[in-house]
Amino acid sequence: METKHDILVNNKRGVQFKFTIYRKFTIIRGDSATGKTTLFQMVSDAASSRVSGVTVSCDVTVRPLNESGYILELQEESNRIYVIDEDFGPLKSYDFAKAALQSDNCFIIITRESLPAIPYSYKEIYGIKTSGKFHSLERIYPDYEEFHNTGKIVTEDEDAGYDYYKFFYGDKVLTSKGNSNLSKYGSKNTLLIGDGCAIGAYIQDLLLTKSDLYLPESFEYTLLRKSMFLHVNEVKESLSNPGKKISTKYVSAERYYTDLLTQITRNTPAQYSKANLNECYVKDCCCKGTRCEFFTREKKAPET
Amino acid sequence: MVTVYFELPDEEIISTSKYFNNSYTDEWLDDWAKRVIREIDNSELISEGMVQSPVLGPITIREISGGAKALITMNSDNTVISNANSCGDNCAPLLAELSRRKDFSVYLSYPMKFGDLTFDMKIARTGRICHKAAEYEKEYLLWRQNMTS
């Protein structure tokens, strides 16, 4: 299932919600009394068997997810967008996370819980913007995509990702060994590097540390944006329209970008491995901008 | 003083909306409730259980926001730990004010933004007392970091 969808929910009294989702998981929080529960209630009313006065317009079915029988429903149904209210009891449970991650559906979750078992992007956390009866979604956090070379640099990545930054910035680079530990290294004059597409559960913690943040989609996304892949059509298409490419079969965009990078570099000198950093990604390539016949026959592929 | 629980067993976390709808009495709908509904929901409590909303028109008290229900519950029901996760940052001024005049407990697992507000808060897991946002945020962050140690 594609993850980009336009959604319009309105009723005969003129209350309207209009927004677009871009990923498998969308989180709605923000101030009280902005219409979150009204949105859920309208979607619930529309899903009833009788004419409800609510219209939901979307290219796929939009439904509320209720506690009763939800695991079976997520296993059996596909190509749906489920809206989940903050009163959904199993929301923090392992069972819910497992069922949602494995399902071929998208989820709009209304909650202020952090949900660390679900890899969602900090860019897909929204508040509701209200203008009279008209409601839309508004991102809560700005982009953190500018690299600031600060006194200390800490990346959540180990292995290739860690080696990559260490190559350029030397011994001041540390690894936190995972996104859940990243905030422990935070302080002023420190740059924290995380996978933006899966760090939603920790974004509030990171901001409290007063650190600088650099949150590209993922390490693999950073590599895919390098000039060596500028002319690879699959990369161009993926970076320009990720919602069309990143399907719900991927638990997060990080997996998608890893698969893509692995696939396009397989059996080339630039073969990607998470375990070891390939020098092609940090040293000048003699035929930049072409595909892998490209990456010089003289260069040896690294040991993997 | 408000006692803040960063975490609770699932069975102790109340569903703000369902709990309010099934528990409120006329006594709950006092001047505090009127103020909460006015300041949080931008609506008016016009008669017993009826509210005039600028967006939804006339609604029942059961349809006010989760944040408003939580703040009313905090003031009127000391038998439960209210769920402050139902409250957005715009509820912080009233929560802080309430903490300075009565004792109650809340579940709050996200870093609510208190800004320059002062409050009387006890962190349940450490017993520390906080009066400013920076003190509360420090306790919150320590708890979060402790979860993964």
Side-chain angles (χ1 to χ4, degrees):
Chain A
M1 178 187 180
E2 289 180 5
T3 55
K4 183 182 177 187
H5 300 277
D6 298 322
I7 301 170
L8 174 64
V9 182
N10 54 14
N11 69 12
K12 290 200 164 188
R13 300 192 59 187
V15 178
Q16 175 182 298
F17 292 82
K18 187 178 182 183
F19 54 92
T20 302
I21 64 166
Y22 298 92
R23 292 290 165 87
K24 182 168 184 171
F25 296 103
T26 301
I27 305 294
I28 302 180
R29 48 179 69 136
D31 282 346
S32 293
T34 51
K36 297 182 291 296
T37 303
T38 303
L39 170 62
F40 178 78
Q41 192 57 54
M42 286 172 67
V43 170
S44 297
D45 289 347
S48 65
S49 57
R50 301 273 180 104
V51 175
S52 65
V54 178
T55 304
V56 178
S57 304
C58 185
D59 62 334
V60 298
T61 301
V62 181
R63 303 269 304 186
L65 186 65
N66 299 307
E67 291 181 34
S68 175
Y70 80 91
I71 291 180
L72 190 61
E73 183 170 352
L74 293 184
Q75 287 169 345
E76 292 188 346
E77 299 294 344
S78 63
N79 223 32
R80 287 182 166 190
I81 297 170
Y82 282 105
V83 183
I84 301 174
D85 188 46
E86 62 185 350
D87 274 344
F88 184 80
L91 191 55
K92 292 194 295 175
S93 70
Y94 171 76
D95 287 344
F96 169 71
K98 184 180 173 191
L101 290 172
Q102 290 177 345
S103 85
D104 184 20
N105 298 287
C106 290
F107 298 86
I108 298 171
I109 305 173
I110 299 168
T111 185
R112 294 188 182 89
E113 297 283 356
S114 61
L115 306 182
I118 294 178
Y120 59 94
S121 170
Y122 77 97
K123 292 183 180 181
E124 304 311 323
I125 304 173
Y126 298 87
I128 291 181
K129 183 180 171 186
T130 300
S131 176
K133 294 185 176 184
F134 297 94
H135 305 72
S136 57
L137 296 189
E138 183 174 59
R139 269 180 59 188
I140 290 181
Y141 303 105
D143 288 347
Y144 295 102
E145 293 176 343
E146 274 188 41
F147 192 99
H148 299 282
N149 187 3
T150 53
K152 190 168 75 172
I153 296 172
V154 184
T155 174
E156 68 165 75
D157 286 314
E158 300 176 77
D159 304 325
Y162 170 61
D163 290 341
Y164 177 82
Y165 291 107
K166 202 168 174 65
F167 178 87
F168 291 111
Y169 301 101
D171 288 342
K172 69 176 177 179
V173 178
L174 304 172
T175 173
S176 65
K177 298 184 177 177
N179 59 9
S180 63
N181 291 318
L182 199 52
S183 74
K184 293 177 186 171
Y185 294 81
S187 64
K188 283 183 180 172
N189 201 28
T190 296
L191 178 70
L192 301 179
I193 303 174
D195 290 348
C197 68
I199 208 154
Y202 302 102
I203 184 68
Q204 296 178 115
D205 305 351
L206 301 184
L207 290 170
L208 287 178
T209 68
K210 315 289 186 199
S211 307
D212 286 323
L213 303 181
Y214 179 59
L215 306 175
E217 290 274 82
S218 70
F219 173 60
E220 290 76 15
Y221 174 87
T222 301
L223 298 184
L224 285 165
R225 290 184 50 146
K226 291 176 85 72
S227 57
M228 57 202 280
F229 298 121
L230 271 179
H231 303 292
V232 180
N233 282 334
E234 289 158 286
V235 176
K236 280 195 288 188
E237 287 169 14
S238 294
L239 298 185
S240 64
N241 200 353
K244 287 274 181 192
K245 292 286 182 180
I246 303 173
S247 75
T248 49
K249 77 173 185 179
Y250 295 99
V251 295
S252 82
E254 192 262 350
R255 295 277 179 89
Y256 169 76
Y257 291 121
T258 301
D259 279 5
L260 177 61
L261 184 59
T262 303
Q263 175 204 320
I264 65 168
T265 60
R266 184 170 292 132
N267 299 324
T268 76
Q271 184 157 314
Y272 176 70
S273 158
K274 265 188 183 296
N276 292 293
L277 179 66
N278 185 320
E279 286 193 340
C280 284
Y281 296 107
V282 290
K283 292 190 174 172
D284 284 342
C285 176
C286 62
C287 352
K288 261 187 180 175
T290 60
R291 241 188 127 178
C292 211
E293 13 312 353
F294 57 21
F295 295 152
T296 76
R297 292 192 176 87
E298 294 76 28
K299 224 182 242 179
K300 290 180 181 175
E303 295 175 9
T304 55
Chain B
M1 177 173 294
V2 57
T3 300
V4 170
Y5 292 82
F6 290 142
E7 55 191 331
L8 282 176
D10 282 349
E11 59 273 18
E12 290 182 35
I13 299 173
I14 69 166
S15 161
T16 297
S17 190
K18 289 172 188 163
Y19 184 82
F20 178 89
N21 290 350
N22 291 294
S23 306
Y24 80 89
T25 64
D26 289 348
E27 286 71 39
W28 288 30
L29 306 182
D30 55 10
D31 287 343
W32 172 260
K34 286 180 185 171
R35 203 176 140 208
V36 167
I37 292 167
R38 184 176 303 131
E39 293 185 18
I40 303 299
D41 287 15
N42 195 28
S43 300
E44 292 293 329
L45 181 63
I46 49 178
S47 63
E48 280 184 17
M50 288 303 295
V51 172
Q52 182 66 36
S53 160
V55 175
L56 303 173
I59 59 173
T60 71
I61 192 77
R62 298 164 67 93
E63 294 165 275
I64 63 174
S65 71
K69 287 177 180 177
L71 284 165
I72 295 169
T73 304
M74 288 171 206
N75 184 53
S76 300
D77 188 345
N78 276 334
T79 66
V80 292
I81 297 172
S82 296
N83 188 343
N85 266 19
S86 301
C87 297
D89 291 331
N90 58 333
C91 295
L94 288 174
L95 200 159
E97 180 183 323
L98 197 60
S99 78
R100 296 195 299 269
R101 72 168 171 82
K102 69 167 290 182
D103 293 332
F104 60 104
S105 299
V106 299
Y107 165 65
L108 179 60
S109 72
Y110 86 97
M112 182 178 277
K113 288 180 182 163
F114 286 99
D116 294 330
L117 296 164
T118 58
F119 44 81
D120 295 333
M121 179 188 290
K122 179 181 175 184
I123 306 299
R125 69 182 282 269
T126 60
R128 292 213 172 82
I129 304 297
C130 305
H131 298 292
K132 295 177 181 175
E135 296 165 345
Y136 156 72
E137 288 169 0
K138 183 180 174 186
E139 288 294 314
Y140 174 86
L141 196 52
L142 285 172
W143 164 64
R144 290 283 290 173
Q145 293 171 343
N146 191 53
M147 289 170 81
T148 56
S149 62

